[in-house]
Amino acid sequence: MTDIHGSSEEPQNGDEGRTRDGRPRRVIGTPSPAESRTLLAADEPAPDTAPGELDEDAAKKAERVVATFFMLAFFASMAFIVYFIGWSGRNGGMHGIDRARESNLVLGGMMTVSFLAVAIGVTIWVRRLMTSKQIVQERHELASSEADRQVFAENFIEGAEDSGITKRPLLRRTLLLAAAPLGLAPLLLLRDLGPLPEDKLRHTYWRDAVDKARKQGKPGVRLLVDGTNRPLKAGDFNSPGSMITVVPEGIESTADPVNELAKAATIVINVPVGQFKPVKGRENWHVGGIVAYSKICTHVGCPAALYEQTTHHILCPCHQSTFDATNGAKVLFGPAARALPQLPIAVDGEGYLIATSDYKVPVGPSFWERGATQQ
């Protein structure tokens, strides 16, 4: 007898059901034994998933539980808002390591409780208050017929009724109540970006220092060497090509000297008189080729602190913006969009360099000076 594998060996005594190599023998024409081991029989009826009627007493109990979680989410969100507006605004706000750690813990905890309570409430709603109806979607063309649209509308209405959103007003109202503060939370977080700058970026401490000096009968405020606070004389630039960083006199006594210094930092350069080309309208803003420019690059605010003595180019090391010190610090190369602002300077009766006014345009990145007049 020949088996399905083509083996023609006769079975041994006591082993008529197997081939010589031990495999089960199958007679041609008999059904495959794999059919009896299918996971789902072809003619096995689909399980009945038709939803039954909800136990109204159990549904009412679940409804109260869901509403409780939604109310918990609402109170957690309100606690987030109250803390953010009230408590975080006291004692220096949320700035500093200790205050930041405290605010992160409280705000993060309240937001976690709010989102978690909403998630738990929705989960219980779906599991306990919604029936499980089997939905079969047939593949068809993208353009739906009028009958299909009618069926969709009926299914949508039926789904809304099945979810309980229409007939259980307590759940609907508490869900909306819980979600309302969550929608306001991102708007409140904008406050953490800090106060609006208003017009603080349109002037520097040079303006206040000059005003204070003139009230004392002085023509302007002296330029102090950054780091040593030593007044600077024009005679200190005996040789062209040198550059010094200066700050206005009295800046260390301000309420916020760090931020004021960041805006008022200025570089003073001695350009050879023969190569210096004063910009029209600024002919008296220099002292014998000694000129002062803002140290803050007009691209993104990096310090333009490199100076090439041979080319008289001011270089910002961050993105290689290059400015011409001999011609009003105009842009020669790089992404900067405008020249470095120039500070009007002169000398007082004792020979010290002084600033006679603030910068005429805002210093720093160009987006700070929107609406301002270009130099």
mmCIF file with all atom_site columns, all heavy atoms in Angstrom, residues 2 14 24 38 51 71 81 89 91 102 105-106 129 145 147 172 179 187 211 225 235-236 242 271 291 297 301 347 368:
data_model
loop_
_atom_site.group_PDB
_atom_site.id
_atom_site.type_symbol
_atom_site.label_atom_id
_atom_site.label_alt_id
_atom_site.label_comp_id
_atom_site.label_asym_id
_atom_site.label_entity_id
_atom_site.label_seq_id
_atom_site.pdbx_PDB_ins_code
_atom_site.Cartn_x
_atom_site.Cartn_y
_atom_site.Cartn_z
_atom_site.occupancy
_atom_site.B_iso_or_equiv
_atom_site.pdbx_formal_charge
_atom_site.auth_seq_id
_atom_site.auth_comp_id
_atom_site.auth_asym_id
_atom_site.auth_atom_id
_atom_site.pdbx_PDB_model_num
ATOM 1   N N   . THR A 1 2   ? 0.459   2.219   -0.793 1.00 0.00 ? 2   THR A N   1
ATOM 2   C CA  . THR A 1 2   ? 1.249   3.459   -0.921 1.00 0.00 ? 2   THR A CA  1
ATOM 3   C C   . THR A 1 2   ? 0.611   4.549   -0.061 1.00 0.00 ? 2   THR A C   1
ATOM 4   O O   . THR A 1 2   ? -0.585  4.782   -0.144 1.00 0.00 ? 2   THR A O   1
ATOM 5   C CB  . THR A 1 2   ? 1.290   3.923   -2.373 1.00 0.00 ? 2   THR A CB  1
ATOM 6   O OG1 . THR A 1 2   ? 1.837   2.890   -3.171 1.00 0.00 ? 2   THR A OG1 1
ATOM 7   C CG2 . THR A 1 2   ? 2.149   5.181   -2.516 1.00 0.00 ? 2   THR A CG2 1
ATOM 8   N N   . GLY A 1 14  ? 2.202   -5.194  14.049 1.00 0.00 ? 14  GLY A N   1
ATOM 9   C CA  . GLY A 1 14  ? 1.850   -4.379  15.224 1.00 0.00 ? 14  GLY A CA  1
ATOM 10  C C   . GLY A 1 14  ? 1.978   -2.891  14.994 1.00 0.00 ? 14  GLY A C   1
ATOM 11  O O   . GLY A 1 14  ? 1.829   -2.111  15.906 1.00 0.00 ? 14  GLY A O   1
ATOM 12  N N   . PRO A 1 24  ? 2.542   9.158   10.839 1.00 0.00 ? 24  PRO A N   1
ATOM 13  C CA  . PRO A 1 24  ? 1.211   8.569   10.715 1.00 0.00 ? 24  PRO A CA  1
ATOM 14  C C   . PRO A 1 24  ? 0.885   8.302   9.256  1.00 0.00 ? 24  PRO A C   1
ATOM 15  O O   . PRO A 1 24  ? 1.212   9.100   8.375  1.00 0.00 ? 24  PRO A O   1
ATOM 16  C CB  . PRO A 1 24  ? 0.283   9.622   11.322 1.00 0.00 ? 24  PRO A CB  1
ATOM 17  C CG  . PRO A 1 24  ? 1.167   10.476  12.152 1.00 0.00 ? 24  PRO A CG  1
ATOM 18  C CD  . PRO A 1 24  ? 2.498   10.453  11.515 1.00 0.00 ? 24  PRO A CD  1
ATOM 19  N N   . THR A 1 38  ? -9.275  23.090  13.731 1.00 0.00 ? 38  THR A N   1
ATOM 20  C CA  . THR A 1 38  ? -9.414  24.515  13.422 1.00 0.00 ? 38  THR A CA  1
ATOM 21  C C   . THR A 1 38  ? -9.875  25.282  14.658 1.00 0.00 ? 38  THR A C   1
ATOM 22  O O   . THR A 1 38  ? -10.579 24.744  15.513 1.00 0.00 ? 38  THR A O   1
ATOM 23  C CB  . THR A 1 38  ? -10.432 24.727  12.293 1.00 0.00 ? 38  THR A CB  1
ATOM 24  O OG1 . THR A 1 38  ? -11.666 24.127  12.674 1.00 0.00 ? 38  THR A OG1 1
ATOM 25  C CG2 . THR A 1 38  ? -9.923  24.119  10.990 1.00 0.00 ? 38  THR A CG2 1
ATOM 26  N N   . PRO A 1 51  ? -27.019 43.318  22.964 1.00 0.00 ? 51  PRO A N   1
ATOM 27  C CA  . PRO A 1 51  ? -27.043 43.878  24.317 1.00 0.00 ? 51  PRO A CA  1
ATOM 28  C C   . PRO A 1 51  ? -28.374 43.623  25.005 1.00 0.00 ? 51  PRO A C   1
ATOM 29  O O   . PRO A 1 51  ? -29.426 43.622  24.380 1.00 0.00 ? 51  PRO A O   1
ATOM 30  C CB  . PRO A 1 51  ? -26.824 45.371  24.072 1.00 0.00 ? 51  PRO A CB  1
ATOM 31  C CG  . PRO A 1 51  ? -27.352 45.610  22.699 1.00 0.00 ? 51  PRO A CG  1
ATOM 32  C CD  . PRO A 1 51  ? -27.070 44.356  21.926 1.00 0.00 ? 51  PRO A CD  1
ATOM 33  N N   . MET A 1 71  ? -16.545 65.463  39.339 1.00 0.00 ? 71  MET A N   1
ATOM 34  C CA  . MET A 1 71  ? -16.467 66.560  40.300 1.00 0.00 ? 71  MET A CA  1
ATOM 35  C C   . MET A 1 71  ? -15.074 66.655  40.902 1.00 0.00 ? 71  MET A C   1
ATOM 36  O O   . MET A 1 71  ? -14.555 67.755  41.133 1.00 0.00 ? 71  MET A O   1
ATOM 37  C CB  . MET A 1 71  ? -17.518 66.357  41.398 1.00 0.00 ? 71  MET A CB  1
ATOM 38  C CG  . MET A 1 71  ? -18.955 66.517  40.931 1.00 0.00 ? 71  MET A CG  1
ATOM 39  S SD  . MET A 1 71  ? -19.291 68.182  40.275 1.00 0.00 ? 71  MET A SD  1
ATOM 40  C CE  . MET A 1 71  ? -18.940 69.183  41.712 1.00 0.00 ? 71  MET A CE  1
ATOM 41  N N   . ILE A 1 81  ? -5.737  76.202  39.244 1.00 0.00 ? 81  ILE A N   1
ATOM 42  C CA  . ILE A 1 81  ? -5.862  77.602  38.847 1.00 0.00 ? 81  ILE A CA  1
ATOM 43  C C   . ILE A 1 81  ? -5.673  78.533  40.038 1.00 0.00 ? 81  ILE A C   1
ATOM 44  O O   . ILE A 1 81  ? -4.972  79.554  39.963 1.00 0.00 ? 81  ILE A O   1
ATOM 45  C CB  . ILE A 1 81  ? -7.233  77.832  38.179 1.00 0.00 ? 81  ILE A CB  1
ATOM 46  C CG1 . ILE A 1 81  ? -7.322  77.037  36.867 1.00 0.00 ? 81  ILE A CG1 1
ATOM 47  C CG2 . ILE A 1 81  ? -7.483  79.308  37.922 1.00 0.00 ? 81  ILE A CG2 1
ATOM 48  C CD1 . ILE A 1 81  ? -8.693  77.090  36.217 1.00 0.00 ? 81  ILE A CD1 1
ATOM 49  N N   . GLY A 1 89  ? 2.020   83.572  43.188 1.00 0.00 ? 89  GLY A N   1
ATOM 50  C CA  . GLY A 1 89  ? 2.393   84.961  42.980 1.00 0.00 ? 89  GLY A CA  1
ATOM 51  C C   . GLY A 1 89  ? 2.986   85.624  44.208 1.00 0.00 ? 89  GLY A C   1
ATOM 52  O O   . GLY A 1 89  ? 3.397   86.768  44.155 1.00 0.00 ? 89  GLY A O   1
ATOM 53  N N   . ASN A 1 91  ? 5.696   85.832  47.577 1.00 0.00 ? 91  ASN A N   1
ATOM 54  C CA  . ASN A 1 91  ? 7.052   85.499  48.009 1.00 0.00 ? 91  ASN A CA  1
ATOM 55  C C   . ASN A 1 91  ? 7.972   85.209  46.834 1.00 0.00 ? 91  ASN A C   1
ATOM 56  O O   . ASN A 1 91  ? 8.667   84.201  46.791 1.00 0.00 ? 91  ASN A O   1
ATOM 57  C CB  . ASN A 1 91  ? 7.032   84.289  48.959 1.00 0.00 ? 91  ASN A CB  1
ATOM 58  C CG  . ASN A 1 91  ? 6.191   84.531  50.185 1.00 0.00 ? 91  ASN A CG  1
ATOM 59  O OD1 . ASN A 1 91  ? 6.144   85.649  50.697 1.00 0.00 ? 91  ASN A OD1 1
ATOM 60  N ND2 . ASN A 1 91  ? 5.509   83.500  50.661 1.00 0.00 ? 91  ASN A ND2 1
ATOM 61  N N   . GLU A 1 102 ? 8.494   73.333  44.522 1.00 0.00 ? 102 GLU A N   1
ATOM 62  C CA  . GLU A 1 102 ? 7.177   73.311  45.172 1.00 0.00 ? 102 GLU A CA  1
ATOM 63  C C   . GLU A 1 102 ? 6.056   73.488  44.157 1.00 0.00 ? 102 GLU A C   1
ATOM 64  O O   . GLU A 1 102 ? 5.067   72.739  44.159 1.00 0.00 ? 102 GLU A O   1
ATOM 65  C CB  . GLU A 1 102 ? 7.109   74.427  46.209 1.00 0.00 ? 102 GLU A CB  1
ATOM 66  C CG  . GLU A 1 102 ? 5.730   74.572  46.855 1.00 0.00 ? 102 GLU A CG  1
ATOM 67  C CD  . GLU A 1 102 ? 5.622   75.831  47.702 1.00 0.00 ? 102 GLU A CD  1
ATOM 68  O OE1 . GLU A 1 102 ? 6.675   76.423  48.009 1.00 0.00 ? 102 GLU A OE1 1
ATOM 69  O OE2 . GLU A 1 102 ? 4.497   76.219  48.040 1.00 0.00 ? 102 GLU A OE2 1
ATOM 70  N N   . LEU A 1 105 ? 5.522   70.419  41.964 1.00 0.00 ? 105 LEU A N   1
ATOM 71  C CA  . LEU A 1 105 ? 4.873   69.332  42.680 1.00 0.00 ? 105 LEU A CA  1
ATOM 72  C C   . LEU A 1 105 ? 3.372   69.585  42.811 1.00 0.00 ? 105 LEU A C   1
ATOM 73  O O   . LEU A 1 105 ? 2.553   68.698  42.518 1.00 0.00 ? 105 LEU A O   1
ATOM 74  C CB  . LEU A 1 105 ? 5.511   69.175  44.069 1.00 0.00 ? 105 LEU A CB  1
ATOM 75  C CG  . LEU A 1 105 ? 4.898   68.078  44.965 1.00 0.00 ? 105 LEU A CG  1
ATOM 76  C CD1 . LEU A 1 105 ? 5.053   66.713  44.319 1.00 0.00 ? 105 LEU A CD1 1
ATOM 77  C CD2 . LEU A 1 105 ? 5.544   68.088  46.353 1.00 0.00 ? 105 LEU A CD2 1
ATOM 78  N N   . VAL A 1 106 ? 2.995   70.791  43.229 1.00 0.00 ? 106 VAL A N   1
ATOM 79  C CA  . VAL A 1 106 ? 1.578   71.091  43.437 1.00 0.00 ? 106 VAL A CA  1
ATOM 80  C C   . VAL A 1 106 ? 0.830   71.151  42.109 1.00 0.00 ? 106 VAL A C   1
ATOM 81  O O   . VAL A 1 106 ? -0.206  70.505  41.931 1.00 0.00 ? 106 VAL A O   1
ATOM 82  C CB  . VAL A 1 106 ? 1.424   72.414  44.211 1.00 0.00 ? 106 VAL A CB  1
ATOM 83  C CG1 . VAL A 1 106 ? -0.055  72.771  44.347 1.00 0.00 ? 106 VAL A CG1 1
ATOM 84  C CG2 . VAL A 1 106 ? 2.059   72.302  45.588 1.00 0.00 ? 106 VAL A CG2 1
ATOM 85  N N   . LEU A 1 129 ? -22.225 51.827  31.737 1.00 0.00 ? 129 LEU A N   1
ATOM 86  C CA  . LEU A 1 129 ? -23.436 52.522  31.305 1.00 0.00 ? 129 LEU A CA  1
ATOM 87  C C   . LEU A 1 129 ? -23.684 52.463  29.799 1.00 0.00 ? 129 LEU A C   1
ATOM 88  O O   . LEU A 1 129 ? -24.677 53.015  29.321 1.00 0.00 ? 129 LEU A O   1
ATOM 89  C CB  . LEU A 1 129 ? -23.371 53.995  31.734 1.00 0.00 ? 129 LEU A CB  1
ATOM 90  C CG  . LEU A 1 129 ? -23.332 54.223  33.255 1.00 0.00 ? 129 LEU A CG  1
ATOM 91  C CD1 . LEU A 1 129 ? -23.105 55.685  33.558 1.00 0.00 ? 129 LEU A CD1 1
ATOM 92  C CD2 . LEU A 1 129 ? -24.626 53.754  33.895 1.00 0.00 ? 129 LEU A CD2 1
ATOM 93  N N   . SER A 1 145 ? -24.273 56.516  -0.442 1.00 0.00 ? 145 SER A N   1
ATOM 94  C CA  . SER A 1 145 ? -25.602 56.730  -0.995 1.00 0.00 ? 145 SER A CA  1
ATOM 95  C C   . SER A 1 145 ? -26.492 57.402  0.050  1.00 0.00 ? 145 SER A C   1
ATOM 96  O O   . SER A 1 145 ? -26.143 57.517  1.226  1.00 0.00 ? 145 SER A O   1
ATOM 97  C CB  . SER A 1 145 ? -26.209 55.395  -1.430 1.00 0.00 ? 145 SER A CB  1
ATOM 98  O OG  . SER A 1 145 ? -26.364 54.546  -0.297 1.00 0.00 ? 145 SER A OG  1
ATOM 99  N N   . ALA A 1 147 ? -29.183 56.250  1.219  1.00 0.00 ? 147 ALA A N   1
ATOM 100 C CA  . ALA A 1 147 ? -29.578 55.243  2.208  1.00 0.00 ? 147 ALA A CA  1
ATOM 101 C C   . ALA A 1 147 ? -28.504 55.055  3.260  1.00 0.00 ? 147 ALA A C   1
ATOM 102 O O   . ALA A 1 147 ? -28.802 54.931  4.455  1.00 0.00 ? 147 ALA A O   1
ATOM 103 C CB  . ALA A 1 147 ? -29.888 53.919  1.498  1.00 0.00 ? 147 ALA A CB  1
ATOM 104 N N   . ARG A 1 172 ? -23.660 64.383  31.856 1.00 0.00 ? 172 ARG A N   1
ATOM 105 C CA  . ARG A 1 172 ? -23.331 65.391  30.863 1.00 0.00 ? 172 ARG A CA  1
ATOM 106 C C   . ARG A 1 172 ? -22.863 66.686  31.520 1.00 0.00 ? 172 ARG A C   1
ATOM 107 O O   . ARG A 1 172 ? -21.866 67.288  31.110 1.00 0.00 ? 172 ARG A O   1
ATOM 108 C CB  . ARG A 1 172 ? -24.547 65.641  29.972 1.00 0.00 ? 172 ARG A CB  1
ATOM 109 C CG  . ARG A 1 172 ? -24.284 66.638  28.846 1.00 0.00 ? 172 ARG A CG  1
ATOM 110 C CD  . ARG A 1 172 ? -25.469 66.744  27.897 1.00 0.00 ? 172 ARG A CD  1
ATOM 111 N NE  . ARG A 1 172 ? -26.662 67.294  28.557 1.00 0.00 ? 172 ARG A NE  1
ATOM 112 C CZ  . ARG A 1 172 ? -27.748 66.591  28.861 1.00 0.00 ? 172 ARG A CZ  1
ATOM 113 N NH1 . ARG A 1 172 ? -27.784 65.287  28.593 1.00 0.00 ? 172 ARG A NH1 1
ATOM 114 N NH2 . ARG A 1 172 ? -28.800 67.160  29.436 1.00 0.00 ? 172 ARG A NH2 1
ATOM 115 N N   . ALA A 1 179 ? -14.371 69.439  32.387 1.00 0.00 ? 179 ALA A N   1
ATOM 116 C CA  . ALA A 1 179 ? -13.536 69.785  31.238 1.00 0.00 ? 179 ALA A CA  1
ATOM 117 C C   . ALA A 1 179 ? -13.305 71.283  31.117 1.00 0.00 ? 179 ALA A C   1
ATOM 118 O O   . ALA A 1 179 ? -12.297 71.690  30.518 1.00 0.00 ? 179 ALA A O   1
ATOM 119 C CB  . ALA A 1 179 ? -14.177 69.255  29.956 1.00 0.00 ? 179 ALA A CB  1
ATOM 120 N N   . LEU A 1 187 ? -4.114  78.536  28.977 1.00 0.00 ? 187 LEU A N   1
ATOM 121 C CA  . LEU A 1 187 ? -4.060  79.990  28.895 1.00 0.00 ? 187 LEU A CA  1
ATOM 122 C C   . LEU A 1 187 ? -3.396  80.585  30.127 1.00 0.00 ? 187 LEU A C   1
ATOM 123 O O   . LEU A 1 187 ? -2.623  81.555  30.035 1.00 0.00 ? 187 LEU A O   1
ATOM 124 C CB  . LEU A 1 187 ? -5.481  80.561  28.736 1.00 0.00 ? 187 LEU A CB  1
ATOM 125 C CG  . LEU A 1 187 ? -6.240  80.133  27.479 1.00 0.00 ? 187 LEU A CG  1
ATOM 126 C CD1 . LEU A 1 187 ? -7.643  80.723  27.481 1.00 0.00 ? 187 LEU A CD1 1
ATOM 127 C CD2 . LEU A 1 187 ? -5.491  80.560  26.224 1.00 0.00 ? 187 LEU A CD2 1
ATOM 128 N N   . ASP A 1 211 ? 19.961  111.068 32.188 1.00 0.00 ? 211 ASP A N   1
ATOM 129 C CA  . ASP A 1 211 ? 19.001  111.972 32.838 1.00 0.00 ? 211 ASP A CA  1
ATOM 130 C C   . ASP A 1 211 ? 19.462  112.344 34.246 1.00 0.00 ? 211 ASP A C   1
ATOM 131 O O   . ASP A 1 211 ? 19.371  113.518 34.657 1.00 0.00 ? 211 ASP A O   1
ATOM 132 C CB  . ASP A 1 211 ? 17.627  111.322 32.897 1.00 0.00 ? 211 ASP A CB  1
ATOM 133 C CG  . ASP A 1 211 ? 17.006  111.164 31.515 1.00 0.00 ? 211 ASP A CG  1
ATOM 134 O OD1 . ASP A 1 211 ? 17.476  111.831 30.575 1.00 0.00 ? 211 ASP A OD1 1
ATOM 135 O OD2 . ASP A 1 211 ? 16.055  110.361 31.381 1.00 0.00 ? 211 ASP A OD2 1
ATOM 136 N N   . VAL A 1 225 ? 34.881  101.205 32.514 1.00 0.00 ? 225 VAL A N   1
ATOM 137 C CA  . VAL A 1 225 ? 35.394  99.940  31.982 1.00 0.00 ? 225 VAL A CA  1
ATOM 138 C C   . VAL A 1 225 ? 34.717  98.795  32.716 1.00 0.00 ? 225 VAL A C   1
ATOM 139 O O   . VAL A 1 225 ? 34.703  98.756  33.954 1.00 0.00 ? 225 VAL A O   1
ATOM 140 C CB  . VAL A 1 225 ? 36.921  99.863  32.129 1.00 0.00 ? 225 VAL A CB  1
ATOM 141 C CG1 . VAL A 1 225 ? 37.440  98.522  31.617 1.00 0.00 ? 225 VAL A CG1 1
ATOM 142 C CG2 . VAL A 1 225 ? 37.583  101.013 31.389 1.00 0.00 ? 225 VAL A CG2 1
ATOM 143 N N   . GLY A 1 235 ? 42.292  109.599 25.981 1.00 0.00 ? 235 GLY A N   1
ATOM 144 C CA  . GLY A 1 235 ? 43.718  109.337 25.880 1.00 0.00 ? 235 GLY A CA  1
ATOM 145 C C   . GLY A 1 235 ? 44.094  107.892 26.146 1.00 0.00 ? 235 GLY A C   1
ATOM 146 O O   . GLY A 1 235 ? 45.231  107.488 25.887 1.00 0.00 ? 235 GLY A O   1
ATOM 147 N N   . ASP A 1 236 ? 43.181  107.123 26.692 1.00 0.00 ? 236 ASP A N   1
ATOM 148 C CA  . ASP A 1 236 ? 43.481  105.707 26.911 1.00 0.00 ? 236 ASP A CA  1
ATOM 149 C C   . ASP A 1 236 ? 43.567  104.941 25.597 1.00 0.00 ? 236 ASP A C   1
ATOM 150 O O   . ASP A 1 236 ? 44.053  103.806 25.578 1.00 0.00 ? 236 ASP A O   1
ATOM 151 C CB  . ASP A 1 236 ? 42.400  105.071 27.788 1.00 0.00 ? 236 ASP A CB  1
ATOM 152 C CG  . ASP A 1 236 ? 42.375  105.666 29.186 1.00 0.00 ? 236 ASP A CG  1
ATOM 153 O OD1 . ASP A 1 236 ? 43.443  106.159 29.616 1.00 0.00 ? 236 ASP A OD1 1
ATOM 154 O OD2 . ASP A 1 236 ? 41.316  105.640 29.838 1.00 0.00 ? 236 ASP A OD2 1
ATOM 155 N N   . SER A 1 242 ? 42.179  99.196  19.209 1.00 0.00 ? 242 SER A N   1
ATOM 156 C CA  . SER A 1 242 ? 41.809  98.591  20.480 1.00 0.00 ? 242 SER A CA  1
ATOM 157 C C   . SER A 1 242 ? 40.300  98.638  20.686 1.00 0.00 ? 242 SER A C   1
ATOM 158 O O   . SER A 1 242 ? 39.598  99.469  20.120 1.00 0.00 ? 242 SER A O   1
ATOM 159 C CB  . SER A 1 242 ? 42.522  99.310  21.625 1.00 0.00 ? 242 SER A CB  1
ATOM 160 O OG  . SER A 1 242 ? 42.218  100.691 21.608 1.00 0.00 ? 242 SER A OG  1
ATOM 161 N N   . VAL A 1 271 ? 38.813  103.692 15.868 1.00 0.00 ? 271 VAL A N   1
ATOM 162 C CA  . VAL A 1 271 ? 38.989  103.485 14.429 1.00 0.00 ? 271 VAL A CA  1
ATOM 163 C C   . VAL A 1 271 ? 39.915  104.577 13.897 1.00 0.00 ? 271 VAL A C   1
ATOM 164 O O   . VAL A 1 271 ? 39.769  105.756 14.258 1.00 0.00 ? 271 VAL A O   1
ATOM 165 C CB  . VAL A 1 271 ? 37.629  103.527 13.703 1.00 0.00 ? 271 VAL A CB  1
ATOM 166 C CG1 . VAL A 1 271 ? 37.817  103.321 12.199 1.00 0.00 ? 271 VAL A CG1 1
ATOM 167 C CG2 . VAL A 1 271 ? 36.705  102.458 14.268 1.00 0.00 ? 271 VAL A CG2 1
ATOM 168 N N   . VAL A 1 291 ? 34.477  105.349 18.688 1.00 0.00 ? 291 VAL A N   1
ATOM 169 C CA  . VAL A 1 291 ? 33.049  105.161 18.476 1.00 0.00 ? 291 VAL A CA  1
ATOM 170 C C   . VAL A 1 291 ? 32.549  104.057 19.397 1.00 0.00 ? 291 VAL A C   1
ATOM 171 O O   . VAL A 1 291 ? 33.301  103.151 19.793 1.00 0.00 ? 291 VAL A O   1
ATOM 172 C CB  . VAL A 1 291 ? 32.772  104.811 16.984 1.00 0.00 ? 291 VAL A CB  1
ATOM 173 C CG1 . VAL A 1 291 ? 33.408  103.481 16.616 1.00 0.00 ? 291 VAL A CG1 1
ATOM 174 C CG2 . VAL A 1 291 ? 31.300  104.821 16.669 1.00 0.00 ? 291 VAL A CG2 1
ATOM 175 N N   . CYS A 1 297 ? 24.387  91.458  19.670 1.00 0.00 ? 297 CYS A N   1
ATOM 176 C CA  . CYS A 1 297 ? 24.180  91.226  18.247 1.00 0.00 ? 297 CYS A CA  1
ATOM 177 C C   . CYS A 1 297 ? 22.701  91.373  17.911 1.00 0.00 ? 297 CYS A C   1
ATOM 178 O O   . CYS A 1 297 ? 21.814  90.953  18.669 1.00 0.00 ? 297 CYS A O   1
ATOM 179 C CB  . CYS A 1 297 ? 24.673  89.831  17.864 1.00 0.00 ? 297 CYS A CB  1
ATOM 180 S SG  . CYS A 1 297 ? 24.456  89.423  16.115 1.00 0.00 ? 297 CYS A SG  1
ATOM 181 N N   . GLY A 1 301 ? 20.988  88.110  19.822 1.00 0.00 ? 301 GLY A N   1
ATOM 182 C CA  . GLY A 1 301 ? 21.378  88.659  21.115 1.00 0.00 ? 301 GLY A CA  1
ATOM 183 C C   . GLY A 1 301 ? 22.680  88.154  21.690 1.00 0.00 ? 301 GLY A C   1
ATOM 184 O O   . GLY A 1 301 ? 22.957  88.401  22.863 1.00 0.00 ? 301 GLY A O   1
ATOM 185 N N   . VAL A 1 347 ? 33.220  114.042 25.174 1.00 0.00 ? 347 VAL A N   1
ATOM 186 C CA  . VAL A 1 347 ? 34.149  114.113 26.305 1.00 0.00 ? 347 VAL A CA  1
ATOM 187 C C   . VAL A 1 347 ? 33.706  115.253 27.215 1.00 0.00 ? 347 VAL A C   1
ATOM 188 O O   . VAL A 1 347 ? 33.169  116.264 26.748 1.00 0.00 ? 347 VAL A O   1
ATOM 189 C CB  . VAL A 1 347 ? 35.608  114.329 25.842 1.00 0.00 ? 347 VAL A CB  1
ATOM 190 C CG1 . VAL A 1 347 ? 36.133  113.099 25.115 1.00 0.00 ? 347 VAL A CG1 1
ATOM 191 C CG2 . VAL A 1 347 ? 35.727  115.557 24.963 1.00 0.00 ? 347 VAL A CG2 1
ATOM 192 N N   . TRP A 1 368 ? 12.883  92.722  18.688 1.00 0.00 ? 368 TRP A N   1
ATOM 193 C CA  . TRP A 1 368 ? 12.630  93.623  19.808 1.00 0.00 ? 368 TRP A CA  1
ATOM 194 C C   . TRP A 1 368 ? 12.208  95.008  19.320 1.00 0.00 ? 368 TRP A C   1
ATOM 195 O O   . TRP A 1 368 ? 11.515  95.739  20.030 1.00 0.00 ? 368 TRP A O   1
ATOM 196 C CB  . TRP A 1 368 ? 13.877  93.771  20.670 1.00 0.00 ? 368 TRP A CB  1
ATOM 197 C CG  . TRP A 1 368 ? 14.150  92.580  21.531 1.00 0.00 ? 368 TRP A CG  1
ATOM 198 C CD1 . TRP A 1 368 ? 13.456  91.414  21.562 1.00 0.00 ? 368 TRP A CD1 1
ATOM 199 C CD2 . TRP A 1 368 ? 15.194  92.444  22.492 1.00 0.00 ? 368 TRP A CD2 1
ATOM 200 N NE1 . TRP A 1 368 ? 14.010  90.560  22.460 1.00 0.00 ? 368 TRP A NE1 1
ATOM 201 C CE2 . TRP A 1 368 ? 15.083  91.154  23.052 1.00 0.00 ? 368 TRP A CE2 1
ATOM 202 C CE3 . TRP A 1 368 ? 16.214  93.262  22.925 1.00 0.00 ? 368 TRP A CE3 1
ATOM 203 C CZ2 . TRP A 1 368 ? 15.942  90.677  24.025 1.00 0.00 ? 368 TRP A CZ2 1
ATOM 204 C CZ3 . TRP A 1 368 ? 17.082  92.798  23.893 1.00 0.00 ? 368 TRP A CZ3 1
ATOM 205 C CH2 . TRP A 1 368 ? 16.945  91.518  24.432 1.00 0.00 ? 368 TRP A CH2 1
#
